[in-house]
Amino acid sequence: HNTMRSSLVRLGLKAKTNPWVELWGFERENIEKSFTFTPKALATIGLFGGVVPALIYKGAVAEFHWHDDAKGAERRDFL
């Protein structure tokens, strides 16, 4: 973004910035400085880092088994 902005300034064009977007971008780039482990943060990490992927995996395996059973084929082993 800075490269684009400096290019616009060199051409004599001014870009109107949105303060909310600029703040969000700043916070996103510096999250490691402001992040704190709280019970809620740990629960969110556990949910989206462990529970959701496990459920997606279980669902995919169940669908493979369902298709194998429908074809009369032997069930495949996963993991």
Side-chain angles (χ1 to χ4, degrees):
H1 293 275
N2 289 337
T3 307
M4 183 182 208
R5 190 172 296 133
S6 61
S7 299
L8 292 173
V9 170
R10 270 184 267 153
L11 292 173
L13 302 172
K14 296 197 179 200
K16 184 177 178 183
T17 60
N18 184 332
W20 297 105
V21 172
E22 296 295 326
L23 178 62
W24 180 82
F26 175 80
E27 291 292 333
R28 182 171 178 234
E29 291 175 6
N30 296 300
I31 190 69
E32 68 275 0
K33 296 176 185 171
S34 63
F35 180 79
T36 55
F37 273 106
T38 62
K40 183 179 178 183
L42 197 55
T44 302
I45 291 168
L47 178 68
F48 291 105
V51 175
V52 170
L55 289 173
I56 292 171
Y57 172 78
K58 293 292 275 182
V61 169
E63 186 172 352
F64 277 112
H65 288 325
W66 181 75
H67 283 286
D68 288 341
D69 293 342
K71 289 189 295 186
E74 186 176 331
R75 286 187 171 193
R76 293 173 270 185
D77 288 330
F78 298 97
L79 291 182

